[in-house]
């Protein structure tokens, strides 16, 4: 019994000892967890110090990482800084500096620098600077030219976006970055020639150089980038011809060299780019005609060669081979000849721009039968004959079909009764001209015979074309001045004595009123005899002379600052706020002034996504004028990447007209579309008319 008691006592002691040991270990664990200094962070001190010093060089010495626990890659990491594990230790692999996130690291407003500590991060794969260097005048900065070889084995992506304060040239030491797959230098203040060494980065998939001030020729060495998928060097000052070596870029999907000063011919080697889906060479100085090898780009979806003195015709290319093509813009390229019949066989074509050329002949009705066509622009050419498109085509397209400024083109008269007619084109049975020059019958139709021998006032486009000189011109001016003297007198008397509005039709005058554009149409329905005294033209009872006043408003988008990216998050709704403060009506105009930007009219869904591959309207000429041609909503965005997301977008609501449109019978009697009438003062009338007289004489 005594032995049993001894054994039990010893057993209790053992249990008590084990319990004490467990409690002690538990307490030690708690103490260690409560004291971070007692645990070594899983990042080498040298790596952590290199990161902190590199970041401080850009954001300022005030930052010391004191809010990070237990290290920069621990539970409270730096937004934009990411790490990877190598041999059980954390190493920095990604650094994004700039306002990408709410708590991202932002660059100092003082002088920033590329510290040598940055290049000691030996596992760094991604380095990005966004809206970091903002002032090219106060605190400009250049890219470091040294130490890039230290990142040769690791760096895969290098980006500088929206840094106007980043100036100077691209260092040729970028050529050391042999593993680089993405080089993005977008919308900075960089300039000078592009270094040949970029062509040695054989692993590049993406090369974006857009929106800088690069000049000189495109290096021939770029042809060695055989893995390149995207090449965008648009919106620079590049010159010279396209390198023949571009034919070796057989993996290329996107080639954008628009808005430069490139010249010479299109190389036939461009036809080797079988995988190309986008080709944009717009707004350069390329000439020599369209190379036939363009028909070999069987994968291309968007082809833009507009605003180049290309010359030549369309017949050199078998357009039916381009069955993937959705957007074709050849506007303002000095093209001549007819529209090739094969252009009506591009079954996926959604946008066709042939405007502002010297094309001639008849317009094939087969173009309207293209199954996907959504925009067709033929204006500003020499097309002739009758448009054989249906009323349903005009109704569906609206202003997205443009055929104005083709003097010898007209539409079928039977379409006129429906009210859906092509804008700026006359009915084949209603073409008339107004002459003030000789014994031409009052009911004379338009013909080539009288085009060059009289003063012609053309109404469809709202401008005048005059061809007079010498003594005859002086005589006509004297006659016109005499008529306007009596006109002013009669208008003044009419306005004072009667509230009736008089009507009118044909030549357009512009009255320079503050913050508005007031237009008045003036036309003559019969020949004016050169010997008879001037009749009282503007009287309510004269059936031959009518005056019609139309008011519209010109809106400057963005005011003196123009169309630009909002400067802060608080201003992201500034365009929509401006739109809500104004009232817009049909025929008002929006004027966009900008540099290195663009204006897109898009659908509601595209507006919300801030992206449109096929906008309803596109312009990047720096001075865009858009006419609000219908009531309802218009959606505007910037076409530059990232600008819309930062608030450069706008919704415009156009009010319904105050009164219903006139009937078709009334339209036929007046030979013009119905327009809302507006009363104006005699002083305004006199100002408008005397402004016109001043234009004639001075």
């Amino acid at each position: 019994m005594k032995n049993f008691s001894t054994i039990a006592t010893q057993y209790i002691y053992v249990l008590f000892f084990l319990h004490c040991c467990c409690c002690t270990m538990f307490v030690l664990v708690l103490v260690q967890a409560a004291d971070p200094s007692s645990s070594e962070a899983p990042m080498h001190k040298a790596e952590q110090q290199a990161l902190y010093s590199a970041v401080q060089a850009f954001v300022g010495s005030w930052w010391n990482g004191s809010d990070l626990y237990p290290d920069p890659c621990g539970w409270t990491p730096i937004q934009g800084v990411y790490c990877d594990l190598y041999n059980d230790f954390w190493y920095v692999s990604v650094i994004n500096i700039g306002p990408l996130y709410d708590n991202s690291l932002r660059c100092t407003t003082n002088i920033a620098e590329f510290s040598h500590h940055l290049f000691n991060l030996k596992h760094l794969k991604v380095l990005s600077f966004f809206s970091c260097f903002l002032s090219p005048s106060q605190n400009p900065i250049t890219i470091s030219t040294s130490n890039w070889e230290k990142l040769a084995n690791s760096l895969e992506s290098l980006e500088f976006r929206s840094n106007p304060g980043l100036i100077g040239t691209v260092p040729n030491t970028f050529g050391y970055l042999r593993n680089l797959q993405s080089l993005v230098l977008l919308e900075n203040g960089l300039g000078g020639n592009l270094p040949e060494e970029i062509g040695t980065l054989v692993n590049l998939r993406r090369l974006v150089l857009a929106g800088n001030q690069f000049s000189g020729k495109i290096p021939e060495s770029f042809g060695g980038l055989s893995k390149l998928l995207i090449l965008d060097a648009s919106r620079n000052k590049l010159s010279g011809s396209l390198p023949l070596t571009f034919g070796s870029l057989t993996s290329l999907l996107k080639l954008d060299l628009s808005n430069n000063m490139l010249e010479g011919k299109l190389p036939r080697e461009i036809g080797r780019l079988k995988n190309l889906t986008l080709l944009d060479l717009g707004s350069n100085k390329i000439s020599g005609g369209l190379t036939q090898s363009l028909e070999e780009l069987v994968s291309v979806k968007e082809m833009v060669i507009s605003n180049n003195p290309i010359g030549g015709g369309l017949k050199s290319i078998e357009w039916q081979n381009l069955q993937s093509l959705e957007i074709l813009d050849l506007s303002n390229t000095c093209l001549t000849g007819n529209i090739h019949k094969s252009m009506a066989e591009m079954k996926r074509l959604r946008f066709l721009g042939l405007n502002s050329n010297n094309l001639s002949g008849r317009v094939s009705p087969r173009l309207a039968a293209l199954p996907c066509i959504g925009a067709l622009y033929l204006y500003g050419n020499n097309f002739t004959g009758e448009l054989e498109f249906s009323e349903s085509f005009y109704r569906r397209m609206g202003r997205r079909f443009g055929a104005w400024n083709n003097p010898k083109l007209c539409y079928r008269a039977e379409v006129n009764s429906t009210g859906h007619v092509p804008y700026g084109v006359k009915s084949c049975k209603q073409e008339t001209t107004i002459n003030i020059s000789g014994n031409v019958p009052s009911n004379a139709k338009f013909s080539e015979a009288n085009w060059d021998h009289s003063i012609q006032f053309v109404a469809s486009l709202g401008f005048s074309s005059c061809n007079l000189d010498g003594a005859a011109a002086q005589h006509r001016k004297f006659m016109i001045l005499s008529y306007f003297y009596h006109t002013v007198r009669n208008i003044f008397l009419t306005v004072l004595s009667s509230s009736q509005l008089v009507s009118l039709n044909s030549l357009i005058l512009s009255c320079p009123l503050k913050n508005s554009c007031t237009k008045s149409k003036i036309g003559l329905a019969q020949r004016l005899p050169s010997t008879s005294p001037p009749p009282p033209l503007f009287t309510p009872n004269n059936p031959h002379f009518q005056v019609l006043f139309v008011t519209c408003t010109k809106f400057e988008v963005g005011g003196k600052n123009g169309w630009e990216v909002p400067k802060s998050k608080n201003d992201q709704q500034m365009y929509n706020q401006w739109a809500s403060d104004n009232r817009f009506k049909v025929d008002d105009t929006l004027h966009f002034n900008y540099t290195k930007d663009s204006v897109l009219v898009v659908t509601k869904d595209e507006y919300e996504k801030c992206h449109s591959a096929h906008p309803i309207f596109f312009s990047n000429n720096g001075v865009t004028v858009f006419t609000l041609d219908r009531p309802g909503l218009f959606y505007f965005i910037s076409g530059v990447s990232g600008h819309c997301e930062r608030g450069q977008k706008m919704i415009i609501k156009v009010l319904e007209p105050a009164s219903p449109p006139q009937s078709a019978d009334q339209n036929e009697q007046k030979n013009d579309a119905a327009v809302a009438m507006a009363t104006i003062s005699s002083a305004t009338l006199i100002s408008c008319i005397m402004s016109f007289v001043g234009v004639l004489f001075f």
Side-chain angles (χ1 to χ4, degrees):
M1 192 71 177
K2 182 179 180 180
N3 291 338
F4 176 79
S5 176
T6 301
I7 294 173
T9 301
Q10 292 176 347
Y11 182 72
I12 291 173
Y13 285 148
V14 170
L15 290 177
F16 178 78
F17 176 78
L18 292 175
H19 174 72
C20 291
C21 290
C22 291
C23 290
T24 301
M25 293 178 63
F26 181 74
V27 170
L28 289 174
V29 170
L30 290 178
V31 171
Q32 187 175 24
D35 182 12
S37 62
S38 64
S39 174
E40 185 178 354
M43 174 180 280
H44 287 299
K45 291 294 183 181
E47 181 79 3
Q48 181 172 325
Q49 186 58 46
L51 173 62
Y52 284 14
S53 298
V55 169
Q56 286 175 343
F58 294 112
V59 305
S61 58
W62 62 268
W63 185 87
N64 57 16
S66 59
D67 56 341
L68 303 179
Y69 173 77
D71 54 67
C73 298
W75 301 342
T76 56
I78 309 172
Q79 282 286 6
V81 176
Y82 303 95
C83 304
D84 285 333
L85 278 173
Y86 294 91
N87 299 322
D88 297 327
F89 283 90
W90 289 114
Y91 288 90
V92 177
S93 59
V94 176
I95 296 180
N96 294 311
I97 296 181
L100 292 175
Y101 310 99
D102 289 340
N103 59 340
S104 295
L105 295 171
R106 297 171 184 255
C107 280
T108 178
T109 56
N110 298 319
I111 299 177
E113 63 176 343
F114 287 83
S115 167
H116 68 276
H117 296 285
L118 174 68
F119 302 97
N120 292 332
L121 302 173
K122 59 184 180 181
H123 291 286
L124 188 63
K125 294 181 179 179
V126 177
L127 179 60
S128 172
F129 298 89
F130 172 69
S131 292
C132 192
F133 318 113
L134 300 179
S135 178
S137 58
Q138 296 181 358
N139 296 306
I141 185 173
T142 60
I143 300 176
S144 174
T145 59
S146 58
N147 293 316
W148 290 102
E149 66 277 6
K150 294 183 178 181
L151 301 177
N153 295 324
S154 62
L155 199 62
E156 298 177 357
S157 176
L158 177 61
E159 298 189 1
F160 294 87
R161 296 176 180 263
S162 302
N163 297 285
L166 185 66
I167 62 172
T169 60
V170 177
N172 54 17
T173 48
F174 277 5
Y176 288 119
L177 304 175
R178 53 180 175 268
N179 286 326
L180 204 63
Q181 299 180 22
S182 176
L183 176 59
V184 176
L185 307 175
L186 177 63
E187 296 176 350
N188 302 292
L190 298 169
N193 294 338
L194 295 172
E196 291 275 353
E197 287 78 6
I198 291 180
T200 65
L201 305 177
V202 294
N203 289 309
L204 270 185
R205 266 68 168 179
R206 178 171 61 168
L207 177 58
V208 178
L209 307 169
N212 290 280
Q213 301 292 322
F214 295 128
S215 57
K217 295 184 178 181
I218 300 175
E220 295 279 346
S221 62
F222 281 21
L225 304 175
S226 59
K227 297 180 181 180
L228 198 63
L229 303 177
I230 296 173
L231 173 54
D232 184 353
S234 61
R235 295 178 286 130
N236 283 289
K237 298 179 180 179
L238 298 172
S239 58
S241 58
L242 293 178
L244 301 182
T245 56
F246 269 20
S248 300
L249 303 178
T250 54
S251 299
L252 205 61
L253 301 177
K254 174 183 176 181
L255 176 60
D256 189 349
L257 301 175
S258 61
N259 292 280
N260 281 287
M261 296 184 290
L262 299 172
E263 54 192 8
K265 295 183 179 181
L266 289 172
R268 65 175 182 273
E269 287 80 6
I270 203 170
R272 299 177 186 173
L273 309 182
K274 307 296 185 183
N275 294 310
L276 199 67
T277 60
L278 182 145
L279 173 63
D280 191 347
L281 303 175
S283 299
N284 281 285
K285 299 179 181 180
I286 300 172
S287 58
L290 298 172
T291 177
Q292 186 177 356
S293 63
L294 288 175
E295 67 187 39
E296 300 174 21
L297 301 178
V298 293
S299 299
V300 70
K301 294 183 178 181
E302 301 180 31
M303 183 186 296
V304 180
I305 314 181
S306 57
N307 301 312
N308 281 284
I310 292 286
L314 297 168
K315 294 185 177 181
S316 61
I317 297 175
E318 295 297 330
W319 297 98
Q320 73 273 14
N321 293 343
L322 304 178
Q323 287 302 308
S324 298
L325 194 60
E326 298 178 5
I327 295 176
L328 176 59
D329 190 354
L330 299 174
S331 60
N332 193 26
T333 50
C334 303
L335 294 174
T336 59
N338 300 335
I339 298 179
H340 197 269
K341 62 182 181 180
S342 63
M343 300 194 83
E345 300 179 21
M346 295 183 285
K347 303 303 181 183
R348 296 186 181 180
L349 196 64
R350 300 173 59 185
F351 177 99
L352 177 58
L354 298 175
N355 52 283
S356 306
N357 284 296
N358 295 311
L359 296 169
S360 57
R362 300 180 68 87
V363 178
S364 172
R366 296 178 60 200
L367 292 176
L370 288 169
C372 299
I373 195 68
L376 176 59
Y377 296 116
L378 307 175
Y379 60 86
N381 282 286
N382 297 309
F383 293 120
T384 58
E386 183 179 84
L387 286 172
E388 300 178 12
F389 298 159
S390 66
E391 179 272 338
S392 61
F393 173 78
Y394 297 135
R395 181 177 67 249
R396 174 171 62 89
M397 299 288 283
R399 290 286 181 92
R400 288 178 288 116
F401 172 68
W404 56 87
N405 200 13
N406 284 282
K408 301 179 184 179
L409 191 66
C410 60
Y411 64 86
R412 293 184 300 176
E414 55 266 29
V415 176
N416 193 43
S417 61
T418 66
H420 297 286
V421 297
Y423 174 77
V425 181
K426 287 290 185 180
S427 168
C428 293
K429 290 186 178 180
Q430 293 182 354
E431 289 189 7
T432 60
T433 60
I434 298 90
N435 300 273
I436 318 180
S437 65
N439 298 320
V440 181
S442 61
N443 61 350
K445 296 289 184 179
F446 174 87
S447 66
E448 291 185 78
N450 61 30
W451 175 256
D452 294 323
H453 299 89
S454 61
I455 297 180
Q456 305 290 333
F457 293 112
V458 184
S460 62
L461 290 176
F463 60 84
S464 64
S465 176
C466 305
N467 185 17
L468 283 175
D469 53 20
Q474 296 300 323
H475 178 65
R476 299 297 187 272
K477 289 180 180 180
F478 179 81
M479 288 175 56
I480 293 172
L481 182 59
S482 177
Y483 276 108
F484 270 97
Y485 167 78
H486 290 276
T487 296
V488 172
R489 182 194 64 184
N490 286 314
I491 289 178
F492 185 78
L493 294 175
T494 300
V495 172
L496 287 179
S497 61
S498 173
S499 61
Q500 299 183 47
L501 283 175
V502 290
S503 61
L504 175 283
N505 173 27
S506 264
L507 165 70
I508 290 184
L509 293 173
S510 294
C511 305
L513 302 182
K514 185 177 181 181
N515 296 326
S516 69
C517 54
T518 302
K519 297 182 179 179
S520 49
K521 289 188 174 183
I522 301 180
L524 310 180
Q526 65 178 20
R527 177 174 56 88
L528 300 179
S530 59
T531 56
S532 59
L537 298 183
F538 301 103
T539 60
N541 297 322
N542 190 334
H544 298 297
F545 302 96
Q546 301 177 325
V547 179
L548 178 62
F549 296 100
V550 184
T551 61
C552 63
T553 305
K554 167 185 172 181
F555 292 93
E556 297 284 351
V557 178
K560 64 179 181 179
N561 294 326
W563 178 241
E564 64 175 13
V565 183
K567 297 187 183 332
S568 68
K569 289 186 177 180
N570 295 331
D571 296 329
Q572 286 190 350
Q573 292 298 320
M574 69 179 192
Y575 290 110
N576 282 329
Q577 182 61 46
W578 172 82
S580 65
D581 292 339
N582 291 281
R583 295 294 178 267
F584 305 93
K585 58 184 181 300
V586 175
D587 287 332
D588 285 350
T589 56
L590 302 179
H591 292 242
F592 297 81
N593 297 299
Y594 52 89
T595 56
K596 295 185 179 181
D597 215 308
S598 59
V599 179
L600 278 66
V601 179
V602 299
T603 65
K604 179 180 179 181
D605 290 341
E606 291 169 335
Y607 174 88
E608 293 174 350
K609 295 176 181 177
C610 278
H611 175 75
S612 175
H614 311 294
I616 300 170
F617 171 87
F618 170 81
S619 176
N620 63 352
N621 61 10
V623 184
T624 298
V625 179
F626 184 84
T627 302
L628 303 171
D629 56 359
R630 59 169 175 80
L633 297 177
F634 290 82
Y635 298 89
F636 297 86
I637 65 172
S638 167
V640 177
S641 176
H643 285 197
C644 175
E645 291 84 348
R646 294 163 62 190
Q648 195 176 359
K649 57 182 180 177
M650 175 176 64
I651 302 175
I652 295 292
K653 181 178 182 180
V654 180
L655 301 176
E656 294 285 344
S659 58
Q662 297 176 348
S663 65
D665 293 338
Q666 290 173 313
N667 287 339
E668 207 169 304
Q669 291 174 3
K670 294 187 177 180
N671 260 338
D672 208 341
V675 187
M677 305 288 287
T679 60
I680 63 175
S681 69
S682 58
T684 302
L685 292 175
I686 294 171
S687 297
C688 289
I689 294 171
M690 296 312 295
S691 296
F692 178 65
V693 174
V695 171
L696 287 176
F697 282 84
F698 302 104

